[in-house]
Amino acid sequence: MRNGWGPHVVQQLYAGLGSAAAFSVVVGAIHWLTFCTAKRAALDIMVQQAKEAKAKAAAEGGAGLAAAGGGGAAVPSKTRKGASSGSQSGTAHLHVSSGHHMHDEEVLLEHRAAAEGAGAGSDAAAAGAKKAAGGGAHGGGGGGHGGGLEEAPEGADVGMLASANMVGATVGALMTALVEGPLELFRHQAQAGIISGNLFREMSNVVKKQGPMGLYWGFLPYCLESFPYDISELATYSQLRDVYNQAVAKANALTGGKASQLFGPEAKVPSQLWDIAIGAAAGSAATLISMPFDVVKTYMQTHAGDAVAMSAVAQVQAFFATGSRMVAQHGAGALWVGVVPRLAQQVPSCTICWWAVEACQHWLKPITAPS
């Protein structure tokens, strides 16, 4: 700034923009791809388990009725009851694992699943009972659900979606940390004046001297910060997106005076505004949840030079010891120093990121949608 404002100032402010942008694209792609893949796999497994539990309960109920010599007219009704109870028991197991309370959408999905189970149970009871029950088994299944945020597979309820979101967020956070950790380490060191020059050249020098593991000193303390951020961001965004998609699906069935003013074809709120709001909420939640971890991690990366020689366990111990010492010396507020600037940085960037993701998915849908 000594020479006044000019092109050289802009050049200094945006030095290394190209390499940083390229790396961000790679990290973002891994972040999103691993999350979507893990969420889709988790949903498929949970839906399949629920269907198998319903089919088993229906088959057992049908076998019991056949052994008791129940009348053909009574089979559909009692089998429907058995199938419904099987559906509820399987779903209750998922609620316990996800820890979510019941919602209206969840109740509707359970009722639908119970009705589907009735068809499956009547089919299992006897061949003649299929017609009496009104139509045989429902071909459930889980059609394609791209991107992890499209319509949930048939049979998935809110509890399943919440559990799948957490699984996907955890896997996505782990894979992202493996790629992003070294870059964050060297970026903070450059900002603190510990190193200078091109980051990738500095990273290459470290690999030559210390081997690949030299890129990952302080990695566990970094994970202690990045995991709360990435998991809370992905889980919050995906859960809010699932709730929004369910609200839109319900609103699409309403017309006339019952049409929703917030969701669906007659909504007065643009869908892009919901995209922005959901992205901002995810960024805010992630920043606030991870702030204490970020403060301790940054302090260690810029002050604890001896941490290079520490073992992984010693680094984790040093992480919590550093946090405890900061609180003891300066109070709990020490863990929240810089929260406003970090919110000012993270929330807009997170909002833009998720808006861009939704916009790209919308533009690519005609190409990627199954025929």
Side-chain angles (χ1 to χ4, degrees):
M1 300 291 183
R2 300 177 195 171
N3 300 325
W5 290 90
H8 65 282
V9 175
V10 177
Q11 185 178 4
Q12 291 176 354
L13 290 175
Y14 288 94
L17 176 63
S19 58
F23 207 93
S24 295
V25 170
V26 174
V27 171
I30 294 173
H31 190 63
W32 185 235
L33 177 62
T34 53
F35 166 75
C36 293
T37 302
K39 177 181 177 179
R40 182 181 299 120
L43 268 179
D44 288 342
I45 292 172
M46 287 187 285
V47 169
Q48 183 63 31
Q49 288 177 342
K51 289 181 177 179
E52 290 175 356
K54 288 190 291 185
K56 181 179 179 180
E60 291 175 351
L65 288 173
V75 168
S77 174
K78 293 187 178 182
T79 306
R80 182 178 297 111
K81 181 178 180 181
S84 176
S85 64
S87 169
Q88 291 171 355
S89 63
T91 306
H93 171 74
L94 292 168
H95 295 328
V96 171
S97 65
S98 66
H100 269 249
H101 296 291
M102 298 281 284
H103 298 288
D104 293 340
E105 295 88 348
E106 191 171 359
V107 174
L108 292 173
L109 285 167
E110 284 190 337
H111 287 170
R112 185 182 67 183
E116 293 169 356
S122 59
D123 181 57
K130 284 200 296 186
K131 293 183 179 180
H138 191 287
H145 42 89
L149 295 178
E150 298 295 332
E151 288 189 10
E154 189 173 347
D157 62 14
V158 172
M160 287 184 186
L161 292 173
S163 299
N165 285 331
M166 287 304 300
V167 171
T170 302
V171 174
L174 176 60
M175 298 305 297
T176 302
L178 291 174
V179 178
E180 191 178 28
L183 180 66
E184 281 292 294
L185 166 64
F186 283 82
R187 183 173 68 85
H188 282 301
Q189 288 184 345
Q191 290 174 339
I194 300 175
I195 61 174
S196 60
N198 185 278
L199 290 183
F200 294 104
R201 184 168 57 249
E202 293 291 339
M203 294 169 71
S204 176
N205 292 336
V206 169
V207 172
K208 292 177 181 178
K209 295 177 182 179
Q210 304 176 18
M213 293 307 297
L215 300 175
Y216 287 95
W217 81 263
F219 180 68
L220 289 181
Y222 165 78
C223 289
L224 290 174
E225 180 272 335
S226 67
F227 279 12
Y229 184 93
D230 290 338
I231 291 175
S232 55
E233 178 196 14
L234 286 171
T236 300
Y237 179 82
S238 188
Q239 192 66 24
L240 289 177
R241 176 61 57 183
D242 288 335
V243 172
Y244 170 78
N245 288 343
Q246 290 175 352
V248 170
K250 291 177 63 177
N252 287 340
L254 302 177
T255 57
K258 296 183 179 180
S260 173
Q261 300 297 308
L262 298 176
F263 312 101
E266 300 184 33
K268 296 182 179 180
V269 180
S271 61
Q272 292 83 356
L273 188 59
W274 285 112
D275 295 339
I276 293 173
I278 293 173
S284 300
T287 301
L288 294 174
I289 291 172
S290 66
M291 188 65 200
F293 301 92
D294 181 72
V295 171
V296 177
K297 177 214 68 172
T298 303
Y299 183 90
M300 285 189 64
Q301 289 182 334
T302 55
H303 291 78
D306 58 342
V308 181
M310 291 181 178
S311 66
V313 175
Q315 288 179 15
V316 174
Q317 293 174 341
F319 182 93
F320 289 104
T322 300
S324 300
R325 185 171 60 253
M326 293 174 67
V327 172
Q329 294 176 353
H330 306 288
L335 300 179
W336 297 90
V337 172
V339 64
V340 174
R342 190 163 183 251
L343 281 170
Q345 176 208 13
Q346 296 290 75
V347 174
S349 64
C350 192
T351 302
I352 294 171
C353 170
W354 289 118
W355 173 84
V357 167
E358 290 302 322
C360 288
Q361 285 186 332
H362 177 73
W363 293 333
L364 293 173
K365 187 170 290 186
I367 302 174
T368 59
S371 58

